[in-house]
Amino acid sequence: MNTVLEVKNLSVTFRTEDGTLSAVDRVSLEVGESEVLAVVGESGCGKSVSAMSLAGLLPRTATVAGSVKLDGIELIGADKRTLRSIRGREMAYIFQEPMTSLNPVFTVGHQIAEVLRTHIGLSRQAARDRSVELLKLVGIPSAERRVGDYPHQLSGGMRQRVMIAMAVACDPKVLIADEPTTALDVTIQAGILDVLRELRERLGTSIVLITHDLGVVADLADRVAVMYARRVVETAEVHELFSRPQHPYTAGLLGASPAAGRHAETHRLNEIPGLVPVLAEQPDACTFADRCPRALDTCTASEPNLTPGPHRVACWNPVREPVEV
Amino acid sequence: MDALEVEDLVMHFGPVRAVDGVTLRIRQGSVVALVGESGSGKSTVGRCIVRLLEPTGGTVRLAGADITHLNRRQLRPHRRDVSIVFQDPAGSLDPRLSVGDIVGEPLRLMRRKDIPAKVSEALRRVGLRPEVAQRSPHELSGGQRQRVSIARALISEPRLLVADEPTSALDVSVQAAVLNLLADLQRDLGFACLFITHDLSAVEYLADEVAVMYLGQLVERGPRARIFGAPAHPYTQALLSAAPVPNPAEQRARKPVLLGDDLPSAIDPPSGCRFHTRCPVAVDTCRTVVPEQRVIGEGGHQVACHLVQDDGTGPDVRTTLGVTR
């Protein structure tokens, strides 16, 4: 499989009044053609900052180091012209909250057409026709009529479909979807996940899916990268990750969500004691060591790196036995 | 005597018919989950029960006492019987007070004695050290703040706890700890609980009975095992089929029922059965005749649907209309 997006040792730091704060630490990821890579983790693990740094959506206070290559073209440190030709065109974004990402004073058709006219120079009429097609593609009923609607006339699910239509307007190679269904109800989420699945199948779009929801991961992902405290701690093919997690954090996370048919009378959810470290106080330790039930002396003395191979784990004492699912 | 009896509860905000005839009972010491999506009215029901709102119609009885239209002074003796925990612990704890003051406040309002000792005990019970009493809410993590809310809610030893999305703002690993805590406290202290949530996996873990709301009304209620094992209402079936499970093999074999994105307006709800505009199996009767709640099985399993027979048999939209992937 061809690698479309290759991220190597991506680090992001922010300048703040209290000094430099690290948000992402040496993250490496690969996304193949028409592959869905899920990046999973809890609040503050760095998953959203990683996603935003991929095409330079971070504020000026951020410093990005490392390498991000899209189809072999380096994006980190690239000039504005290169970035402009890529952002929104080769690599597109959808965000969690569709209402705040759409402009309330223009019709959705106008907003989609703007993307088409700016990036590929379509005429007014051609852009409008294509907008209708795109709305149909993302499953909006009576698209010819809806193209003239303003964002407030649409439900949350419809708005997210419009966002997806805008994102895929220029047929991007990679779609970065940052918590695309988190603000939506489950019956609406199911529809949005189907749209993403169909885009991948029909257009061959690669998707980086940022989420905290393991159900969404199980539904859509081909491969998963688990982030903890600014680093990727494990990556594997999705079935492999869920049935044989090797990092104690991944195993802990999987055991924390209630499973079907289990009640508190007979089962207990797995808790991960302690809190996520705010700053790297011990740079030579595994960031999970002080919460880890399997920690050894080595874990507080030196930091583990990801092992090579298809199932990579950054752990000195990985879980070897398959978990009961 | 039941801990809570709600009869034909109606709550209108001007033209918005947020709650339109909800009947619900909670036995002493049992956990009833009130499930529904955004806009279903489930939180409004909770707010009427703790009398943050005065219902437009119907009755709310706490341990036999009718509190529906009591004024502030009249409510005071009933305040200790019911408490509420909200979704967002950051927004519901007064930032100017210490944790000890927040937790002890209900007792102070009841002019109780030995408050510091009771606060320490309440904190210990929710897994916090007594020293936390001197801290300020902003110094605590989200999970710790939710523990403080729970300690405050339970310090007056209420008969009924209304928990309104208590884990929705929390990360998975923290959610697990809070769900375990609620299960332990409920078993040890024996209070009745109305658990308001959209998270079906948490419902299965915590609830004895489940009530499903759609657009201001209950569509189905019954024992947990019945609702999850043999859901009768097409909406309940769709909801269960749409919630993804964190297991890739199982999730990919499932067929969610897609309902379309538009929830009708609560200002002008659909005639007949309110779900008919999105129901995949609706017939003519559904558009004109309002379905009555009928008992269809053991444990008081009730449903409001024309298509379900008295013995509980009827269409299962999951097998007939699920989308094959």
Side-chain angles (χ1 to χ4, degrees):
Chain A
M1 184 165 55
N2 294 327
T3 301
V4 176
L5 182 70
E6 193 179 10
V7 178
K8 263 196 190 148
N9 287 321
L10 181 76
S11 291
V12 181
T13 53
F14 287 95
R15 287 189 306 278
T16 70
E17 286 174 6
D18 306 328
T20 309
L21 206 71
S22 160
V24 174
D25 186 17
R26 287 162 290 159
V27 161
S28 296
L29 299 167
E30 281 167 23
V31 189
E33 211 174 287
S34 73
E35 182 179 49
V36 180
L37 173 75
V39 180
V40 200
E42 299 185 285
S43 325
C45 71
K47 58 190 192 301
S48 284
V49 174
S50 305
M52 292 174 91
S53 67
L54 292 183
L57 289 175
L58 292 173
R60 284 169 192 277
T61 51
T63 310
V64 183
S67 160
V68 174
K69 281 185 181 164
L70 181 69
D71 255 356
I73 299 168
E74 178 62 53
L75 303 184
I76 302 296
D79 57 69
K80 277 190 176 157
R81 227 176 111 183
T82 312
L83 284 179
R84 206 177 299 139
S85 69
I86 286 169
R87 244 187 258 163
R89 185 167 178 174
E90 302 287 323
M91 194 193 279
Y93 280 76
I94 48 176
F95 299 98
Q96 176 172 343
E97 189 28 79
M99 194 57 205
T100 50
S101 317
L102 288 168
N103 190 331
V105 302
F106 292 109
T107 64
V108 298
H110 180 101
Q111 295 183 58
I112 300 171
E114 190 182 13
V115 176
L116 294 162
R117 297 178 68 195
T118 312
H119 285 296
I120 32 184
L122 289 190
S123 71
R124 198 174 285 266
Q125 188 56 47
R128 192 191 154 81
D129 294 347
R130 177 85 180 119
S131 302
V132 174
E133 265 175 50
L134 285 162
L135 291 181
K136 282 182 186 159
L137 177 75
V138 296
I140 294 189
S142 38
E144 287 87 352
R145 191 166 52 79
R146 290 299 205 173
V147 79
D149 277 0
Y150 288 89
H152 77 267
Q153 293 172 287
L154 303 173
S155 65
M158 285 296 164
R159 281 182 212 137
Q160 194 57 291
R161 286 172 196 260
V162 170
M163 286 303 299
I164 297 173
M166 280 172 77
V168 301
C170 303
D171 197 6
K173 293 199 175 73
V174 179
L175 180 66
I176 294 167
D178 190 356
E179 302 273 7
T181 58
T182 304
L184 305 173
D185 282 319
V186 286
T187 55
I188 290 156
Q189 166 174 283
I192 299 291
L193 293 175
D194 271 354
V195 170
L196 292 175
R197 195 183 337 270
E198 200 158 308
L199 286 177
R200 180 268 279 281
E201 271 154 30
R202 279 175 50 183
L203 308 177
T205 317
S206 309
I207 300 175
V208 180
L209 177 71
I210 316 284
T211 183
H212 70 282
D213 186 330
L214 295 168
V216 170
V217 175
D219 190 60
L220 200 61
D222 298 314
R223 248 173 356 102
V224 189
V226 181
M227 283 188 77
Y228 178 78
R230 311 178 299 280
R231 301 208 65 187
V232 172
V233 296
E234 183 165 12
T235 71
E237 188 274 329
V238 64
H239 293 87
E240 164 82 8
L241 187 101
F242 276 81
S243 58
R244 279 180 292 277
Q246 293 188 8
H247 199 285
Y249 176 66
T250 313
L253 211 52
L254 292 174
S257 27
R262 306 246 168 111
H263 187 261
E265 270 166 23
T266 48
H267 287 85
R268 203 167 169 78
L269 302 175
N270 181 59
E271 299 178 20
I272 303 176
L275 298 172
V276 179
V278 181
L279 289 163
E281 283 146 8
Q282 295 165 290
D284 291 330
C286 168
T287 49
F288 189 58
D290 60 340
R291 301 175 74 187
C292 183
R294 299 173 60 86
L296 311 169
D297 288 346
T298 332
C299 304
T300 48
S302 73
E303 191 181 15
N305 284 313
L306 282 174
T307 52
H311 189 157
R312 299 180 205 171
V313 62
C315 180
W316 293 121
N317 186 21
V319 183
R320 292 297 180 207
E321 57 279 9
V323 295
E324 176 213 352
V325 183
Chain B
M1 183 175 55
D2 290 329
L4 173 75
E5 294 159 88
V6 172
E7 232 162 276
D8 204 22
L9 183 73
V10 175
M11 185 72 229
H12 291 176
F13 300 100
V16 180
R17 298 157 74 169
V19 176
D20 231 358
V22 164
T23 297
L24 195 68
R25 273 157 191 270
I26 305 184
R27 282 192 307 277
Q28 302 279 4
S30 104
V31 181
V32 174
L34 187 58
V35 185
E37 298 184 286
S38 341
S40 61
K42 59 188 189 300
S43 286
T44 305
V45 170
R47 274 150 218 246
C48 288
I49 290 167
V50 298
R51 280 297 318 276
L52 286 172
L53 292 169
E54 184 175 352
T56 313
T59 51
V60 176
R61 273 191 290 274
L62 273 182
D66 186 341
I67 61 156
T68 323
H69 300 291
L70 299 186
N71 63 31
R72 277 174 83 95
R73 197 176 47 77
Q74 293 165 323
L75 271 172
R76 212 169 287 151
H78 302 283
R79 281 283 173 219
R80 62 157 298 180
D81 284 336
V82 59
S83 293
I84 185 164
V85 172
F86 295 101
Q87 171 172 349
D88 174 19
S92 51
L93 302 178
D94 189 334
R96 297 165 304 179
L97 297 182
S98 71
V99 166
D101 287 342
I102 290 169
V103 174
E105 194 175 31
L107 295 184
R108 244 187 322 283
L109 295 174
M110 292 170 209
R111 309 230 162 79
R112 297 291 187 78
K113 296 192 182 101
D114 296 330
I115 294 176
K118 285 174 180 149
V119 167
S120 297
E121 168 60 16
L123 289 174
R124 193 194 53 73
R125 207 185 267 150
V126 297
L128 293 172
R129 279 174 288 113
E131 300 90 89
V132 174
Q134 271 79 54
R135 309 266 284 275
S136 188
H138 75 264
E139 295 174 70
L140 306 178
S141 70
Q144 289 170 329
R145 281 190 211 128
Q146 199 56 296
R147 286 174 193 264
V148 170
S149 307
I150 294 170
R152 174 192 162 97
L154 295 181
I155 199 163
S156 62
E157 297 170 24
R159 286 169 204 263
L160 175 70
L161 177 72
V162 176
D164 189 359
E165 302 270 12
T167 58
S168 301
L170 306 174
D171 274 319
V172 183
S173 65
V174 185
Q175 261 178 32
V178 172
L179 288 175
N180 281 340
L181 176 68
L182 283 172
D184 292 346
L185 290 169
Q186 200 274 330
R187 188 192 55 227
D188 297 346
L189 304 176
F191 52 84
C193 180
L194 182 68
F195 179 42
I196 300 171
T197 186
H198 69 281
D199 180 351
L200 293 165
S201 63
V203 169
E204 202 168 4
Y205 185 66
L206 219 53
D208 299 314
E209 283 175 56
V210 185
V212 184
M213 259 188 108
Y214 183 80
L215 215 60
Q217 297 179 332
L218 286 187
V219 294
E220 183 167 5
R221 51 176 299 205
R224 175 188 72 244
R226 293 278 305 194
I227 298 293
F228 282 90
H233 198 284
Y235 178 65
T236 312
Q237 293 165 354
L239 202 59
L240 288 172
S241 82
V245 295
N247 176 329
E250 203 181 304
Q251 174 58 21
R252 282 159 210 226
R254 299 170 88 222
K255 300 185 208 165
V257 180
L258 300 179
L259 293 177
D261 281 353
D262 283 328
L263 184 75
S265 159
I267 295 178
D268 184 21
S271 60
C273 171
R274 291 192 174 183
F275 184 57
H276 86 252
T277 56
R278 296 172 83 199
C279 182
V281 290
V283 297
D284 282 345
T285 322
C286 306
R287 291 179 248 284
T288 50
V289 184
V290 177
E292 296 285 319
Q293 283 278 356
R294 280 178 298 129
V295 175
I296 55 158
E298 64 210 52
H301 189 182
Q302 292 184 24
V303 69
C305 176
H306 295 302
L307 301 170
V308 179
Q309 307 300 312
D310 287 339
D311 63 355
T313 56
D316 190 336
V317 298
R318 295 172 298 179
T319 50
T320 51
L321 291 138
V323 181
T324 313
R325 286 173 171 165

